[in-house]
Amino acid sequence: MPLDQPHGSIPLTQDDPEELKSWIKSQALALGFSDCVIAKPDAQDQMPRFKEYLKRGYHADMHYLAENLDKRADPTLLVPGTKSIICVRMNYLVESPKPRYVPDQPNSAIIARYARGRDYHKVMRGRLKTLAGIIKARVGEFESRPFADSAPIFEKSLAESAGMGWTGKHTLLIHKKSGSFFVLAELFTSLELPFDQPATAHCGSCTACIDICPTQAIVEPYMLDARKCIAYLTIEYKGIIAEELRAGIGNRIFGCDDCQLICPWNSFAKIASIPDFNPRHGLDNISLLEIWTWDEATFLANTEGSPIRRTGFQSFKRNIAIGLGNAPYSDDVIEALKMAREQHDEIVQIHIDWAIEQQLKKQYQIH
């Protein structure tokens, strides 16, 4: 007998796993996910390269990456009873960027596009819970657990193993028809679903992402040194940023999109299908000087429910100070920096002093 069909019209039986898989994918797309694939809970093949990455110290002070290696390799150790992993992605662009072009806006505060709206972790997990509920209404009880960058999981490799794209030389996942401006999440399940097959890689001889990186953090194809990566430095790292990296950071105050913007495959990048990624508080077009005026209360108010909270107020000010130091010479910039002296912790103060010094150097060059 066919099961009840409250969420679709495909007739299903519990003995028809291919049709069940197809139906689950249709439900995922209806919830706003851009794609859905079914992965085998196995990432053993990632371990040799990942151990080499750790051995080289490319994970910087993200020590958690060196933990739970057994769970990363075998997802069934993370969630016992897992038989299949439903991998989804969600596009986050709100407008298509000009193909193969990194804009030059030295007075703007540049925030990575994924972080200008609502925190995608919450968006993705919430919708995966909804998806689990829809499936349960159809097939009965099963074990499930949603993740969105929140556990020791090789997210990209699982999605890649099931055909969601291939890992580009910048280490991000690329989809042939959708580029790379998307975020990933997973629903671990006890369902026995047929696994999807991997896609082929299509980077070829292109090195655009390696060549464009402002701090040369992509040290070789498919290998990223986080110690140089602007995304790591401006989001995860809380210390004093090395002087030799500050000029490369430019005016990027939270994350960096350069390696994606230059990628030819992002000529096919798709627009977000849900409003959660729409920029809030003008974060897609805000000047360094304007955002520099935010006090901690304003920062907390304007980043509620935002990924930007992750960096913390002091590191946020540190990043903006670097941006102001790299900005074209301006009396207003120097004045704003001087007024902020002694208002922040020692780490921020070091970057403020550096920024003033950079501005004064430009002043002397002008005159």
Side-chain angles (χ1 to χ4, degrees):
M1 291 288 292
L3 296 169
D4 291 338
Q5 300 168 38
H7 297 283
S9 58
I10 300 174
L12 295 175
T13 70
Q14 287 175 303
D15 298 321
D16 198 344
E18 282 291 350
E19 278 193 304
L20 177 59
K21 180 173 85 166
S22 176
W23 177 81
I24 288 172
K25 290 184 177 186
S26 71
Q27 299 306 309
L29 296 180
L31 286 170
F33 293 116
S34 312
D35 197 3
C36 175
V37 297
I38 312 300
K40 182 181 180 181
D42 179 6
Q44 300 283 353
D45 62 339
Q46 295 299 307
M47 293 313 297
R49 190 166 186 83
F50 190 64
K51 286 180 177 178
E52 177 64 23
Y53 169 84
L54 296 172
K55 181 181 174 183
R56 296 186 191 184
Y58 289 168
H59 59 311
D61 65 359
M62 294 181 287
H63 304 300
Y64 60 87
L65 290 177
E67 300 169 357
N68 298 303
L69 294 185
D70 55 339
K71 292 184 175 70
R72 290 185 185 277
D74 183 358
T76 64
L77 296 177
L78 179 65
V79 182
T82 297
K83 300 286 181 60
S84 64
I85 299 175
I86 300 174
C87 300
V88 293
R89 64 178 174 86
M90 195 171 270
N91 299 324
Y92 60 78
L93 287 179
V94 296
E95 61 180 353
S96 298
K98 186 177 176 182
R100 306 195 71 174
Y101 173 71
V102 177
D104 181 24
Q105 301 166 305
N107 291 305
S108 295
I110 303 300
I111 292 168
R113 283 155 179 78
Y114 81 87
R116 296 174 182 180
R118 190 174 171 223
D119 189 343
Y120 76 87
H121 300 90
K122 298 173 184 176
V123 175
M124 301 281 268
R125 276 198 299 270
R127 288 175 189 245
L128 280 175
K129 287 179 182 176
T130 300
L131 178 62
I134 290 171
I135 300 170
K136 284 179 182 178
R138 195 64 176 257
V139 304
E141 282 299 318
F142 66 93
E143 295 299 318
S144 67
R145 190 169 168 191
F147 295 99
D149 194 23
S150 55
I153 300 168
F154 284 126
E155 289 193 308
K156 286 179 292 187
S157 64
L158 286 172
E160 182 177 18
S161 73
M164 194 174 277
W166 73 92
T167 298
K169 292 177 183 177
H170 49 21
T171 75
L172 300 171
L173 204 63
I174 303 174
H175 188 276
K176 201 171 184 180
K177 296 181 180 178
S178 301
S180 63
F181 284 103
F182 52 77
V183 286
L184 302 172
E186 303 78 36
L187 185 68
F188 283 43
T189 84
S190 60
L191 297 172
E192 293 192 10
L193 298 170
F195 306 130
D196 288 307
Q197 298 303 305
T200 51
H202 297 279
C203 283
S205 60
C206 178
T207 59
C209 58
I210 298 173
D211 300 336
I212 198 71
C213 180
T215 53
Q216 294 300 287
I218 307 170
V219 293
E220 63 183 73
Y222 316 105
M223 192 66 82
L224 179 78
D225 186 347
R227 297 169 300 185
K228 297 180 180 179
C229 178
I230 294 173
Y232 165 76
L233 291 169
T234 57
I235 300 172
E236 303 289 342
Y237 184 59
K238 306 303 180 189
I240 298 168
I241 293 176
E243 280 199 40
E244 63 267 23
L245 296 173
R246 293 176 196 170
I249 289 172
N251 54 333
R252 301 164 191 83
I253 67 166
F254 189 93
C256 179
D257 288 330
D258 287 22
C259 62
Q260 296 193 83
L261 289 167
I262 204 68
C263 176
W265 289 106
N266 276 319
S267 301
F268 305 105
K270 299 292 190 291
I271 302 301
S273 60
I274 61 171
D276 299 77
F277 293 106
N278 290 347
R280 302 193 292 182
H281 308 291
L283 290 178
D284 59 332
N285 185 28
I286 192 167
S287 73
L288 287 163
L289 273 176
E290 181 181 351
I291 207 165
W292 179 248
T293 65
W294 287 11
D295 58 15
E296 188 163 13
T298 305
F299 170 79
L300 292 173
N302 288 351
T303 60
E304 185 175 356
S306 161
I308 298 172
R309 274 278 180 96
R310 184 176 181 85
T311 193
F313 178 62
Q314 294 298 332
S315 294
F316 191 63
K317 298 297 278 194
R318 174 201 64 187
N319 299 344
I320 304 168
I322 291 174
L324 289 170
N326 288 323
Y329 171 75
S330 164
D331 290 333
D332 291 339
V333 166
I334 291 181
E335 183 65 22
L337 288 165
K338 287 181 175 178
M339 286 178 64
R341 271 182 165 161
E342 315 307 329
Q343 293 182 14
H344 300 286
D345 66 21
E346 182 182 359
I347 290 175
V348 180
Q349 188 58 54
I350 287 169
H351 295 81
I352 290 175
D353 292 342
W354 174 86
I356 293 172
E357 182 183 337
Q358 298 306 303
Q359 282 287 314
L360 291 175
K361 283 181 183 176
K362 292 168 193 168
Q363 181 187 31
Y364 297 140
Q365 289 167 2
I366 291 171
H367 300 301

